[in-house]
Amino acid sequence: MLTSMTRRPKDGLWQNPDFMRLWGAQTLSAIGTRFTREGLPIIAALTLDASATDLGILVALSMLPGVLLSPFVGAWIDRTRRRRVLIMADLLRAAVLLTLPVMAWLDAITIGQVIGVATVVALFSMVFQTADNAYLPTVVEKDELLEGNAKLATTDALAEIAGPALAGVAIQTLTAPFAILFDALSYLWSAVLLASIKRPEPPLVTGEHTPDLWRETREGLRFVFGHPVLRPLTLCLATLAFFLSFFAPLYVLYAVRDLGIQPGLLGFIVALGGISGLVGARLAAWAGRRFSVRRILIGALLAYGVVICFIPLAQGPLWVAAGALCISQLFGDGLWVAFSTNATVLRQTVTPDSLRGREAGMVHLLTGGLGLIAALTAGFVADRIGIRIVLWAGALGVFASSLWLLALPRNVDQRYSGD
């Protein structure tokens, strides 16, 4: 790690080759991921004629292994080299995704295979995200975390612009299974870039006890729920995950079947969110330097709740329905990026390096567990009372989630900024 004597200038991350490699790896992965995110539900909905319940099961089962294993994965990551974990996760995701175009070529693809692929990809995406959250402070300084996370959020925004639009066209042209081939290749390139990072990781802090994943998992749980900042923030993220997971199994089905939007047009609508996210990434860094993080988190989340209501409001002629979805994408993603970027920086700032894996694992356990329940429930309920009502419940739940943030200390910036 660099010391304060070698602190880089304001544009220093552009001159940090290891961060640029990490950034490049995530850029490739983020664009490719959009092909799978759009492709799997379309395979299920259009090729295999899946119902809302089927899509709910698809999302729920894909999340289950990650939810069950996330606390132990966090403890394991705190005791291993995180870059190796990132590379392993990339290679395994690439391998399992390659099975889809192969089986499609043989005309043997099934809903069981789609669920299996989604499960393995989701599991190792959880592993990657947990390790990545812990690894970033290795390649940047503490006072560069906001800039680093903002740049990574910019990557997601650019991927949201290019990825869904390209995915929609590729899915219509090549069919979804073959379009997903791009995602597999993106993971391979990501692994190559990660392997080229040269900066060594700091020595592992193993503590005085022999490795014990159960004990270390309990330590992570006690740390998160005993911390005055992490406790309300984690509960907010968990509640958000529950209500936003109403959208995960239903959004594509709602747009394609209920609103009559073709995959190509839907890809371009989703891409508008990338433009919003790009602005949100710039806004996140700007606001984070000028306003209280408590005010940013509460304000961004409330505004996001207003904008996401345009999704269940969408109806009528195609241009009106598409316009409502465009509004939700064009403003919602930017507000979400501003919220999540500052929330991530706050989590990284207040968590010691030796606990970052476990902290991330606990967050994933709660967000993934509640998200799994919500996705499964949403698909089942939507088949009985309609998709739109379920989406309304999810949108209104965003407002309820913001109430946890009122418990954040009012002086959180002064106490935990590290200045």
Side-chain angles (χ1 to χ4, degrees), residues 106-354:
L106 298 173
D107 196 26
I109 196 167
T110 65
I111 188 66
Q113 184 193 1
V114 172
I115 292 174
V117 168
T119 300
V120 176
V121 170
L123 171 61
F124 286 101
S125 293
M126 178 275 294
V127 172
F128 187 96
Q129 291 163 5
T130 303
D132 181 56
N133 183 73
Y135 183 62
L136 178 61
T138 299
V139 297
V140 304
E141 288 296 285
K142 186 174 182 179
D143 60 357
E144 294 173 324
L145 282 173
L146 180 59
E147 181 189 354
N149 279 287
K151 281 181 164 56
L152 296 179
T154 300
T155 290
D156 277 336
L158 290 172
E160 196 71 9
I161 295 172
L166 292 173
V169 172
I171 287 168
Q172 282 195 194
T173 305
L174 303 175
T175 73
F178 292 100
I180 286 173
L181 179 63
F182 182 87
D183 192 13
L185 295 176
S186 74
Y187 286 134
L188 292 177
W189 279 111
S190 173
V192 170
L193 284 172
L194 289 167
S196 68
I197 293 177
K198 295 180 173 58
R199 180 177 293 186
E201 295 185 50
L204 296 174
V205 180
T206 58
E208 301 176 355
H209 305 284
T210 57
D212 183 338
L213 291 182
W214 282 103
R215 174 181 53 77
E216 292 168 19
T217 298
R218 291 194 299 271
E219 288 175 357
L221 185 65
R222 285 195 298 269
F223 172 74
V224 169
F225 284 97
H227 198 286
V229 172
L230 292 176
R231 181 175 59 252
L233 183 57
T234 301
L235 290 170
C236 172
L237 294 173
T239 310
L240 266 177
F242 178 80
F243 288 110
L244 292 180
S245 291
F246 287 3
F247 293 85
L250 302 177
Y251 185 83
V252 170
L253 194 64
Y254 173 66
V256 173
R257 288 191 186 174
D258 290 13
L259 303 181
I261 298 174
Q262 294 297 312
L265 176 58
L266 180 61
F268 281 101
I269 291 174
V270 175
L272 291 176
I275 299 174
S276 174
L278 188 62
V279 175
R282 303 288 294 180
L283 177 64
W286 175 83
R289 290 189 292 265
R290 288 166 176 80
F291 300 104
S292 160
V293 67
R294 186 176 185 271
R295 182 178 300 177
I296 294 170
L297 295 179
I298 294 174
L301 193 54
L302 289 175
Y304 178 69
V306 172
V307 172
I308 206 172
C309 288
F310 280 89
I311 296 176
L313 280 172
Q315 57 186 314
L318 178 61
W319 69 271
V320 175
L325 295 187
C326 285
I327 292 174
S328 72
Q329 295 291 144
L330 196 55
F331 295 97
D333 281 28
L335 291 165
W336 175 256
V337 168
F339 169 82
S340 61
T341 299
N342 280 280
T344 298
V345 172
L346 183 58
R347 289 170 52 205
Q348 291 172 335
T349 301
V350 303
T351 306
D353 183 73
S354 61

Side-chain angles (χ1 to χ4, degrees), residues 380-411:
F380 180 80
V381 174
D383 273 337
R384 286 151 181 80
I385 66 173
I387 292 177
R388 195 183 306 275
I389 297 175
V390 177
L391 295 181
W392 268 118
L396 296 176
V398 174
F399 295 103
S401 302
S402 66
L403 296 176
W404 292 111
L405 297 177
L406 297 176
L408 283 173
R410 292 186 177 275
N411 60 342

